[in-house]
Amino acid sequence: MSSTPVKPPNEIHRAWWKESSVYQIWPASYKDSNDDGIGDIPGIVSKLDYIRDLGVDIVWLCPSYKSPQVDMGYDIADYYSIAEEYGTVADVEKLIQGCHERGMKLLMDLVVNHTSDQHDWFKKSRSSKDSEFRDWYVWRPPRYDENGNRQPPNNWVSHFQGSAWEFDEPTGEYYLHLYAVEQPDLNWENPAVRKAVHDIVRFWLDKGADGFRMDVINFISKDQGFPDAPNQDPDAIWQWGDRYYANGPRLHEYLQGIGKILKEYDAFSVGEMPFVKDTDEVLKAVRYDRNEINMIFNFEHVDIDHAPWGNKFKPGSWKLTDLKAFFERWQVFMYNNGGWNALYWENHDQPRSIDRYVNPPQALRPAAGKMLATVLALHAGSPFIYQGQEIGMGNVPIEWDMGEYKDIDCLNHWKGLLEHKPTDTEAQKIARQEYQKKSRDNARTPVQWSAEPNGGFTGPNVKPWMSVNPEYTRVNAADQVKDPQSLYHYWSEVLKLRKTYLDIFVYGNYKLVDRDNQEVYAYTRAYDTSQALVLANWTDNDLAWDAAAHNVDQVKEVLLDTYGTAGASRERFSGGQWTLRPYEAVVILLK
Ligand code: GLC
Ligand code: CA
């Protein structure tokens, strides 16, 4: 099949950041160095060899700035200081240095759609209508309904439940908060705000940081009419206003403002972009010649199990072909149009991928983890691995009661349910099941370092800020580092393979194979006359697959196999009819 050479696009735009993979750290739950039960920066520094050995190029540090932690640091009270519980600016400098010494880079999290209500800017802004900071946030007068009752300026729902507007008594106006009440949105129309953000960006780049992950960056430009959102969910009072603030009118202008600085420093950037399904719109942000950002996180594949109307805590269903269709769309589009993809299954907002995308029997969890690693990392794009994913950490136990959940998103939902449907035990039961499947808490349990008490995250007699998932005796880093067959080592093999065959796996094209198959995900990557097949059995059965029927049976070499690349596996991939073991994934160089 590879006889027709796949010519790469005329210009390939090679870049170090395309070749990189990223490891994400959520500081509260990474490693506690001083036995106060909370992860911290020195704890991260102590694990840098472990991270380097995984084979990643970049470490992304989630928000570690001073914060009241209403939304675990995504509510920043001071962009220039580090939360006391995590350490100091000097500790971050050590972390940067430790990364650099090991040939890795460090990304900071840039959260500038909103601040904490404890930020000085907001305190001043709310103090008076005449404050020079008034216009740094989005203030609007109330509306009044036909009965003369005060109402918010529009009907937008907050991402964390309820109205997106909060009334502020002292000045009699509402302020906008797309997230928690304690996370007021900045007003990017104000040039002083943009300047302040540019200063923050420079400050951390000057400290040696190598770039940023940008929080909900596509929300920074809002339709200044602040119109009501159409009624989408008939059961809801407040409606999604995303069409008026996701990728709003001035987004690209604002991104270019930041992009200019990033370019000066040759910095890395990845933007979080919820709600955007329009590939052309994303392309405007990431095309190589736009100088905005390198890549974005899109949400299609992680919203796959949500009910309609952004209702994540209601059951939704999906098929493998849905997932494949999302990947195909973005993979092909970016390749053809000079853009780039960020690849991820997990992050601090998503449940654990083995549970979400596979949900295998216990004994097959490592196999499923390896399959997911293979499929993700050999797509075209920069792979992101979230802490604990490299050892296959799972969702919280179904037995956990609500007292174990900590996340504002989940807890606000629960509060709302108890308020509005206090006697509906069925709805409560379903919600509880959905929390165990989708709550952000699933990602936020402490990293399981060993089989010691508390999983080695903190001292044996310390009560960690969030309980350790009891699976730590079975799933932990110490065991996996020792075991060459572990998921941890498998991840490093996949990342190595991606670099060894850089042309194919980083710069090659992507083609979906056997589109309608609900049990197999197969794709080829090709560059010039070289071509590789990535083939994954998404079931817990042995599975027969007709490679000849898809014209990918001309095996040159088995490059990687989740069941090991020993001679025996080569035998199984000769001839046209192949058998795959449960959750087996294999990477094959074709003739
Ligand atoms: C992003 C973050 C999430 C946070 C929200 C508000 O989605 O990833 O953790 O709660 O933005 O900052
Ligand atoms: Ca600590």
mmCIF file of all heavy atoms in Angstrom, residues 319-338:
data_model
loop_
_atom_site.group_PDB
_atom_site.id
_atom_site.type_symbol
_atom_site.label_atom_id
_atom_site.label_comp_id
_atom_site.label_asym_id
_atom_site.label_seq_id
_atom_site.Cartn_x
_atom_site.Cartn_y
_atom_site.Cartn_z
ATOM 1 N N LYS A 319 -20.355 5.695 21.344
ATOM 2 C CA LYS A 319 -19.838 4.515 20.658
ATOM 3 C C LYS A 319 -18.403 4.789 20.215
ATOM 4 O O LYS A 319 -18.015 5.956 20.041
ATOM 5 C CB LYS A 319 -20.684 4.211 19.413
ATOM 6 C CG LYS A 319 -22.141 3.896 19.722
ATOM 7 C CD LYS A 319 -22.856 3.271 18.527
ATOM 8 C CE LYS A 319 -23.022 4.175 17.329
ATOM 9 N NZ LYS A 319 -23.954 5.286 17.472
ATOM 10 N N LEU A 320 -17.667 3.724 19.996
ATOM 11 C CA LEU A 320 -16.279 3.891 19.561
ATOM 12 C C LEU A 320 -16.204 4.701 18.265
ATOM 13 O O LEU A 320 -15.286 5.499 18.067
ATOM 14 C CB LEU A 320 -15.602 2.524 19.379
ATOM 15 C CG LEU A 320 -14.117 2.554 19.027
ATOM 16 C CD1 LEU A 320 -13.297 3.267 20.087
ATOM 17 C CD2 LEU A 320 -13.582 1.148 18.791
ATOM 18 N N THR A 321 -17.189 4.516 17.404
ATOM 19 C CA THR A 321 -17.154 5.253 16.133
ATOM 20 C C THR A 321 -17.298 6.765 16.361
ATOM 21 O O THR A 321 -16.795 7.558 15.562
ATOM 22 C CB THR A 321 -18.256 4.762 15.170
ATOM 23 O OG1 THR A 321 -19.460 4.575 15.923
ATOM 24 C CG2 THR A 321 -17.873 3.452 14.511
ATOM 25 N N ASP A 322 -17.970 7.175 17.440
ATOM 26 C CA ASP A 322 -18.046 8.614 17.741
ATOM 27 C C ASP A 322 -16.650 9.152 18.047
ATOM 28 O O ASP A 322 -16.234 10.197 17.549
ATOM 29 C CB ASP A 322 -18.929 8.888 18.975
ATOM 30 C CG ASP A 322 -20.341 8.356 18.825
ATOM 31 O OD1 ASP A 322 -20.826 8.315 17.676
ATOM 32 O OD2 ASP A 322 -20.953 7.973 19.848
ATOM 33 N N LEU A 323 -15.970 8.409 18.896
ATOM 34 C CA LEU A 323 -14.624 8.820 19.296
ATOM 35 C C LEU A 323 -13.707 8.899 18.079
ATOM 36 O O LEU A 323 -12.972 9.871 17.886
ATOM 37 C CB LEU A 323 -14.099 7.800 20.307
ATOM 38 C CG LEU A 323 -12.837 8.145 21.079
ATOM 39 C CD1 LEU A 323 -13.047 9.369 21.945
ATOM 40 C CD2 LEU A 323 -12.422 6.962 21.959
ATOM 41 N N LYS A 324 -13.777 7.875 17.248
ATOM 42 C CA LYS A 324 -12.925 7.841 16.064
ATOM 43 C C LYS A 324 -13.245 9.030 15.145
ATOM 44 O O LYS A 324 -12.348 9.632 14.556
ATOM 45 C CB LYS A 324 -13.115 6.527 15.306
ATOM 46 C CG LYS A 324 -12.668 5.306 16.097
ATOM 47 C CD LYS A 324 -12.406 4.099 15.198
ATOM 48 C CE LYS A 324 -13.635 3.343 14.799
ATOM 49 N NZ LYS A 324 -13.301 2.053 14.129
ATOM 50 N N ALA A 325 -14.519 9.355 15.049
ATOM 51 C CA ALA A 325 -14.919 10.453 14.160
ATOM 52 C C ALA A 325 -14.337 11.778 14.651
ATOM 53 O O ALA A 325 -13.869 12.596 13.854
ATOM 54 C CB ALA A 325 -16.442 10.535 14.074
ATOM 55 N N PHE A 326 -14.355 12.004 15.972
ATOM 56 C CA PHE A 326 -13.771 13.246 16.510
ATOM 57 C C PHE A 326 -12.291 13.324 16.163
ATOM 58 O O PHE A 326 -11.790 14.332 15.685
ATOM 59 C CB PHE A 326 -13.908 13.316 18.036
ATOM 60 C CG PHE A 326 -15.317 13.444 18.529
ATOM 61 C CD1 PHE A 326 -15.671 12.937 19.775
ATOM 62 C CD2 PHE A 326 -16.281 14.081 17.773
ATOM 63 C CE1 PHE A 326 -16.973 13.063 20.253
ATOM 64 C CE2 PHE A 326 -17.585 14.215 18.235
ATOM 65 C CZ PHE A 326 -17.932 13.699 19.473
ATOM 66 N N PHE A 327 -11.599 12.217 16.445
ATOM 67 C CA PHE A 327 -10.158 12.234 16.180
ATOM 68 C C PHE A 327 -9.886 12.472 14.700
ATOM 69 O O PHE A 327 -9.046 13.288 14.334
ATOM 70 C CB PHE A 327 -9.509 10.926 16.628
ATOM 71 C CG PHE A 327 -9.311 10.834 18.117
ATOM 72 C CD1 PHE A 327 -9.628 9.675 18.810
ATOM 73 C CD2 PHE A 327 -8.814 11.912 18.828
ATOM 74 C CE1 PHE A 327 -9.443 9.586 20.184
ATOM 75 C CE2 PHE A 327 -8.620 11.840 20.199
ATOM 76 C CZ PHE A 327 -8.939 10.667 20.884
ATOM 77 N N GLU A 328 -10.605 11.752 13.873
ATOM 78 C CA GLU A 328 -10.335 11.863 12.441
ATOM 79 C C GLU A 328 -10.494 13.306 11.962
ATOM 80 O O GLU A 328 -9.679 13.847 11.226
ATOM 81 C CB GLU A 328 -11.275 10.951 11.639
ATOM 82 C CG GLU A 328 -10.953 10.991 10.158
ATOM 83 C CD GLU A 328 -11.970 10.263 9.289
ATOM 84 O OE1 GLU A 328 -13.150 10.159 9.699
ATOM 85 O OE2 GLU A 328 -11.579 9.815 8.201
ATOM 86 N N ARG A 329 -11.573 13.928 12.429
ATOM 87 C CA ARG A 329 -11.877 15.284 11.991
ATOM 88 C C ARG A 329 -10.716 16.234 12.301
ATOM 89 O O ARG A 329 -10.240 16.966 11.441
ATOM 90 C CB ARG A 329 -13.137 15.750 12.721
ATOM 91 C CG ARG A 329 -13.812 16.918 12.113
ATOM 92 C CD ARG A 329 -15.276 16.910 12.553
ATOM 93 N NE ARG A 329 -15.465 17.542 13.847
ATOM 94 C CZ ARG A 329 -15.582 18.855 14.013
ATOM 95 N NH1 ARG A 329 -15.523 19.656 12.965
ATOM 96 N NH2 ARG A 329 -15.773 19.363 15.208
ATOM 97 N N TRP A 330 -10.249 16.200 13.536
ATOM 98 C CA TRP A 330 -9.206 17.150 13.945
ATOM 99 C C TRP A 330 -7.853 16.767 13.360
ATOM 100 O O TRP A 330 -7.048 17.638 12.997
ATOM 101 C CB TRP A 330 -9.128 17.224 15.471
ATOM 102 C CG TRP A 330 -10.340 17.895 16.053
ATOM 103 C CD1 TRP A 330 -11.466 17.287 16.507
ATOM 104 C CD2 TRP A 330 -10.552 19.305 16.201
ATOM 105 N NE1 TRP A 330 -12.370 18.235 16.954
ATOM 106 C CE2 TRP A 330 -11.830 19.482 16.780
ATOM 107 C CE3 TRP A 330 -9.790 20.439 15.914
ATOM 108 C CZ2 TRP A 330 -12.371 20.736 17.076
ATOM 109 C CZ3 TRP A 330 -10.321 21.686 16.208
ATOM 110 C CH2 TRP A 330 -11.604 21.822 16.778
ATOM 111 N N GLN A 331 -7.589 15.463 13.295
ATOM 112 C CA GLN A 331 -6.301 15.010 12.776
ATOM 113 C C GLN A 331 -6.124 15.438 11.322
ATOM 114 O O GLN A 331 -5.117 16.028 10.964
ATOM 115 C CB GLN A 331 -6.206 13.478 12.870
ATOM 116 C CG GLN A 331 -6.069 12.957 14.291
ATOM 117 C CD GLN A 331 -4.649 13.106 14.812
ATOM 118 O OE1 GLN A 331 -3.718 12.582 14.252
ATOM 119 N NE2 GLN A 331 -4.495 13.851 15.886
ATOM 120 N N VAL A 332 -7.097 15.139 10.513
ATOM 121 C CA VAL A 332 -6.986 15.411 9.087
ATOM 122 C C VAL A 332 -6.991 16.917 8.840
ATOM 123 O O VAL A 332 -6.197 17.453 8.069
ATOM 124 C CB VAL A 332 -8.137 14.715 8.323
ATOM 125 C CG1 VAL A 332 -8.162 15.150 6.873
ATOM 126 C CG2 VAL A 332 -7.993 13.195 8.442
ATOM 127 N N PHE A 333 -7.861 17.587 9.544
ATOM 128 C CA PHE A 333 -7.987 19.027 9.325
ATOM 129 C C PHE A 333 -6.683 19.769 9.638
ATOM 130 O O PHE A 333 -6.212 20.594 8.855
ATOM 131 C CB PHE A 333 -9.116 19.588 10.193
ATOM 132 C CG PHE A 333 -9.290 21.063 10.023
ATOM 133 C CD1 PHE A 333 -10.014 21.568 8.954
ATOM 134 C CD2 PHE A 333 -8.702 21.950 10.917
ATOM 135 C CE1 PHE A 333 -10.151 22.942 8.788
ATOM 136 C CE2 PHE A 333 -8.835 23.315 10.754
ATOM 137 C CZ PHE A 333 -9.561 23.818 9.689
ATOM 138 N N MET A 334 -6.100 19.493 10.786
ATOM 139 C CA MET A 334 -4.887 20.220 11.169
ATOM 140 C C MET A 334 -3.732 19.907 10.218
ATOM 141 O O MET A 334 -2.962 20.781 9.847
ATOM 142 C CB MET A 334 -4.495 19.899 12.617
ATOM 143 C CG MET A 334 -5.430 20.506 13.644
ATOM 144 S SD MET A 334 -5.505 22.307 13.506
ATOM 145 C CE MET A 334 -6.683 22.688 14.804
ATOM 146 N N TYR A 335 -3.640 18.654 9.817
ATOM 147 C CA TYR A 335 -2.573 18.273 8.890
ATOM 148 C C TYR A 335 -2.711 19.028 7.569
ATOM 149 O O TYR A 335 -1.748 19.548 7.027
ATOM 150 C CB TYR A 335 -2.610 16.759 8.635
ATOM 151 C CG TYR A 335 -1.544 16.284 7.678
ATOM 152 C CD1 TYR A 335 -0.271 16.007 8.134
ATOM 153 C CD2 TYR A 335 -1.815 16.130 6.324
ATOM 154 C CE1 TYR A 335 0.724 15.578 7.269
ATOM 155 C CE2 TYR A 335 -0.834 15.708 5.443
ATOM 156 C CZ TYR A 335 0.431 15.429 5.913
ATOM 157 O OH TYR A 335 1.407 15.004 5.048
ATOM 158 N N ASN A 336 -3.921 19.097 7.086
ATOM 159 C CA ASN A 336 -4.136 19.730 5.784
ATOM 160 C C ASN A 336 -4.038 21.245 5.816
ATOM 161 O O ASN A 336 -3.922 21.881 4.785
ATOM 162 C CB ASN A 336 -5.523 19.366 5.236
ATOM 163 C CG ASN A 336 -5.566 17.920 4.768
ATOM 164 O OD1 ASN A 336 -4.529 17.335 4.478
ATOM 165 N ND2 ASN A 336 -6.761 17.346 4.724
ATOM 166 N N ASN A 337 -4.124 21.813 7.016
ATOM 167 C CA ASN A 337 -4.244 23.274 7.081
ATOM 168 C C ASN A 337 -3.169 23.986 7.891
ATOM 169 O O ASN A 337 -3.328 25.153 8.232
ATOM 170 C CB ASN A 337 -5.627 23.642 7.635
ATOM 171 C CG ASN A 337 -6.730 23.230 6.682
ATOM 172 O OD1 ASN A 337 -6.943 23.875 5.662
ATOM 173 N ND2 ASN A 337 -7.398 22.128 6.993
ATOM 174 N N GLY A 338 -2.100 23.262 8.209
ATOM 175 C CA GLY A 338 -0.998 23.937 8.887
ATOM 176 C C GLY A 338 -1.274 24.282 10.336
ATOM 177 O O GLY A 338 -0.710 25.228 10.875
#
